[in-house]
Amino acid sequence: MDQNGILKYVEPVLNFCRKRLNNPSDAEDLAGDILLHVLTGMKKYSINSPDAWVWRVARNRYARFINARAQNRMILSGDDLPDTAAEEQSGEDDEAEYQNVFRYLHTLSTEYRNIFVDYYVGEMSVRDLSVKYSLPETTVKWRLSEGRRKIKERIGADEMERVYKRINWNTTVCNGDLNTYEYLHSQVARAICLAAYEKPLTVEEISIATGIPAMYIEDELPKLVYGDAVRRAGNKYATDFILLRLEDRKQLEAASAQLIRSFADFFENLFSERSEAVRELDFYGHDFGMDRLGFIVIPYVLRNMISAVKTKLRFENGPYPVRQDGGYGWMIVEETEDEREMAAEFNCGCNTTGDDSGSGNEKPSHIYYYWISRYFDPGVYHVYGTCRMHAEGIPQSSENGIIQISLSDEDAAHYISNGLIRKCADGYQLSFPCFTAAAFKAFVSLFDADNGLEAPLGEWIKDLRKAFASFVPKRLDSQINQWVSCYANQLAGYVSDELIRRGVLKKPDEHRPLTDGVFYVEGEYIKNI
């Protein structure tokens, strides 16, 4: 159809709009909008059925016009209604009915929605639809019938009427090497995963549960499936990670208070007993004091104890799963109190950067960073942090903590700001301890004492496992053990905070990153770090 061919549609389109809109100006505006879109489409597409094309555009633009007007219309009280309101009421009722159907149409999955739109909006015949979608005519008729039934049910149930709440999750943490945030940063992705968390759902069921049109859900699902955030089984989708909700965390914390106090007592006494022995060891930082070195000892001892107890209980994590995007491990997702989406303040972890044998460097070595979420600063690890320091060979070339390579003023300022180096008479000095493999082994062995807490720790871990099993969907049972490890390792954060409160550990500076959990070890990667 050439552009002159549109002339025969001008009057019919205008009548189409006048019939549906009582306001002549609105009808003329809508008719102009429809014809403009028809002209634009003629330039872009090869149109085989001009009549179907024009009326499909007309009905689509009319539906959009009604939807937009409904969103912007001011609802007035009865006394404020203009005189023309009664005359327009009938037309508005028709518009409301059309809008309602149009709204619920978007909760249908693609296999129903596309055929429904082409049949009712594009006015295509069943035979044409059969050809277009390569389906038997009986299947087309069945999908039309099912589509009508589903829309009728949903309008009747009115399940779409709901108050939308922002979903606050922390998605910056993982157990392994992957980017949880990449897949779960959007509200649409989170709404889908929250809806499909307790049980697998179809696209349509997710749409009804969330109020999100099915087309947007279908656009988001491939990315979620590729990121292993969602698993597909037939025509249903199920969330494939454990979500720790706020009420779940409260249940876990209630059982931890006594164990925290017991470990705090143990470390307080042990640090007092072993402080002089530490000073006699041969490593840079031996004189830092246990109020700083304790930030290394506590997580190291507790993580190893937890790992050993879990092994005895046969609660092993199992191998890290390899993910479709090339990463490995598990997503760690927690509900947060507000939109700041801060990780739980006593979450703990260890970021490591370095080289093992075969990497091309003369000596394998690593920088470890034990962190507590409450005091975590990404600059300590990224940008001008431990990753860059190791890549530039700064700790590897240092002698008794004194940096031997030349640093620019800008680089030095960044490292100082991140709490990793400080100025000294000889230039710049590392702010964290440095060990040989033998020296580190000698250091941590000083704290390998029988604390009598293995039994209560084991009972606590068993209680954690039972608690997780009570609120985690059965299909995710294989992921519980790694979550038990993640949560159990937070014990180091709680114990450290208790010892800060007692004055046993140094109180972190509010204006500077806490880097007392950073240390360098020359040698192969330390397992169970």
Side-chain angles (χ1 to χ4, degrees):
M1 180 175 72
D2 59 23
Q3 294 189 20
N4 291 328
I6 197 176
L7 295 177
K8 69 177 183 178
Y9 294 103
V10 173
E11 193 64 28
V13 166
L14 185 56
N15 289 335
F16 169 89
C17 298
R18 285 171 176 167
K19 183 178 179 181
R20 288 160 174 77
L21 300 173
N22 290 314
N23 188 314
S25 297
D26 284 347
E28 291 172 4
D29 289 344
L30 178 58
D33 183 54
I34 291 169
L35 294 170
L36 175 62
H37 277 78
V38 170
L39 280 170
T40 302
M42 289 166 53
K43 296 176 182 178
K44 291 183 178 180
Y45 311 115
S46 175
I47 301 170
N48 297 322
S49 178
D51 284 350
W53 168 261
V54 170
W55 295 116
R56 179 177 181 177
V57 170
R59 293 181 182 277
N60 274 330
R61 299 312 301 176
Y62 170 65
R64 287 172 180 259
F65 176 85
I66 295 303
N67 195 42
R69 192 167 77 173
Q71 290 176 357
N72 295 322
R73 180 181 289 124
M74 180 182 294
I75 306 300
L76 304 174
S77 63
D79 291 340
D80 295 331
L81 287 172
D83 294 337
T84 58
E87 298 175 8
E88 293 185 0
Q89 188 63 48
S90 176
E92 289 185 4
D93 288 344
D94 292 341
E95 293 169 16
E97 182 179 358
Y98 193 107
Q99 180 189 350
N100 219 12
V101 174
F102 184 76
R103 178 188 183 193
Y104 283 91
L105 170 65
H106 287 290
T107 70
L108 297 178
S109 59
T110 303
E111 61 180 340
Y112 295 108
R113 186 179 67 246
N114 290 348
I115 289 176
F116 210 85
V117 170
D118 283 341
Y119 183 79
Y120 285 102
V121 180
E123 297 186 341
M124 293 179 67
S125 67
V126 170
R127 179 175 296 177
D128 289 340
L129 291 170
S130 174
V131 173
K132 179 176 179 179
Y133 293 102
S134 301
L135 294 171
E137 290 186 21
T138 53
T139 301
V140 172
K141 291 178 181 178
W142 180 80
R143 290 190 181 181
L144 287 170
S145 175
E146 275 294 286
R148 285 191 293 268
R149 182 186 64 78
K150 289 172 183 285
I151 288 178
K152 184 177 179 180
E153 285 180 355
R154 292 167 194 182
I155 291 175
D158 201 21
E159 294 183 32
M160 296 284 285
E161 291 299 333
R162 55 182 287 140
V163 177
Y164 291 97
K165 291 181 66 177
R166 190 181 194 281
I167 300 172
N168 299 316
W169 288 354
N170 178 271
T171 57
T172 61
V173 183
C174 71
N175 185 4
D177 184 11
L178 60 121
N179 188 347
T180 305
Y181 181 81
E182 179 181 352
Y183 301 103
L184 297 178
H185 68 278
S186 76
Q187 287 294 305
V188 172
R190 294 177 184 185
I192 292 170
C193 292
L194 186 59
Y197 183 67
E198 293 296 343
K199 64 179 182 179
L201 299 177
T202 64
V203 169
E204 294 178 13
E205 289 169 336
I206 294 171
S207 178
I208 293 169
T210 62
I212 299 171
M215 68 178 82
Y216 299 125
I217 294 171
E218 289 168 330
D219 284 346
E220 191 73 24
L221 278 171
K223 183 177 180 181
L224 291 172
V225 171
Y226 176 70
D228 292 305
V230 165
R231 183 188 306 169
R232 181 174 184 175
N235 69 334
K236 292 192 174 186
Y237 297 86
T239 301
D240 202 20
F241 58 83
I242 291 175
L243 167 64
L244 186 65
R245 293 162 292 200
L246 291 173
E247 66 258 30
D248 302 333
R249 176 172 283 280
K250 289 178 182 177
Q251 181 180 342
L252 298 174
E253 288 177 341
S256 307
Q258 181 56 51
L259 193 65
I260 292 167
R261 289 192 292 271
S262 297
F263 270 108
D265 292 342
F266 164 71
F267 282 114
E268 182 174 7
N269 294 330
L270 194 61
F271 290 172
S272 176
E273 294 172 3
R274 304 297 165 85
S275 59
E276 287 303 317
V278 170
R279 289 180 179 275
E280 295 175 2
L281 294 177
D282 183 20
F283 68 90
Y284 170 70
H286 68 97
D287 56 349
F288 281 7
M290 288 309 301
D291 62 336
R292 291 181 58 192
L293 295 173
F295 285 99
I296 299 171
V297 173
I298 292 170
Y300 179 85
V301 170
L302 287 178
R303 289 164 75 97
N304 275 274
M305 280 189 68
I306 289 166
S307 177
V309 170
K310 282 188 64 196
T311 299
K312 285 185 179 180
L313 295 173
R314 297 188 177 181
F315 288 171
E316 293 93 343
N317 295 351
Y320 285 109
V322 178
R323 308 182 72 85
Q324 294 182 65
D325 61 3
Y328 62 88
W330 299 273
M331 292 181 170
I332 302 297
V333 182
E334 298 182 83
E335 184 183 6
T336 65
E337 294 283 357
D338 53 42
E339 65 276 5
R340 292 178 300 165
E341 298 184 349
M342 303 293 289
E345 59 181 352
F346 296 118
N347 278 5
C348 292
C350 182
N351 289 357
T352 306
T353 182
D355 298 296
D356 287 314
S357 297
S359 63
N361 292 322
E362 289 184 13
K363 296 180 180 179
S365 61
H366 299 80
I367 304 178
Y368 303 89
Y369 171 30
Y370 279 133
W371 52 264
I372 303 170
S373 182
R374 188 176 194 174
Y375 310 110
F376 178 74
D377 189 314
V380 175
Y381 182 65
H382 296 292
V383 195
Y384 281 90
T386 56
C387 289
R388 180 165 179 167
M389 288 191 80
H390 194 279
E392 293 181 344
I394 294 173
Q396 298 94 310
S397 63
S398 66
E399 295 181 6
N400 198 30
I402 304 298
I403 297 171
Q404 300 299 308
I405 65 175
S406 177
L407 295 178
S408 69
D409 291 341
E410 180 183 1
D411 286 355
H414 282 298
Y415 287 131
I416 290 172
S417 176
N418 285 330
L420 295 170
I421 69 171
R422 58 177 179 265
K423 292 198 66 141
C424 66
D426 297 316
Y428 295 104
Q429 193 170 26
L430 297 173
S431 296
F432 52 85
C434 298
F435 300 88
T436 62
F440 184 76
K441 184 176 181 180
F443 170 65
V444 295
S445 67
L446 291 175
F447 305 94
D448 185 16
D450 182 9
N451 52 33
L453 293 173
E454 183 176 318
L457 179 63
E459 291 302 313
W460 179 69
I461 289 174
K462 285 192 285 187
D463 288 342
L464 286 183
R465 183 67 174 76
K466 290 177 183 177
F468 270 98
S470 72
F471 56 70
V472 170
K474 295 297 183 185
R475 69 177 186 280
L476 299 175
D477 188 78
S478 64
Q479 296 187 29
I480 289 180
N481 286 351
Q482 64 88 23
W483 242 112
V484 169
S485 292
C486 290
Y487 187 83
N489 286 336
Q490 293 178 30
L491 187 62
Y494 287 104
V495 171
S496 296
D497 194 68
E498 172 64 16
L499 291 176
I500 291 171
R501 189 185 64 78
R502 297 184 187 185
V504 176
L505 293 181
K506 185 186 75 173
K507 184 177 181 179
D509 187 333
E510 294 181 2
H511 306 292
R512 295 177 63 83
L514 175 63
T515 56
D516 288 327
V518 177
F519 59 102
Y520 168 82
V521 181
E522 182 182 289
E524 301 288 349
Y525 176 72
I526 302 169
K527 296 180 179 180
N528 293 327
I529 194 66

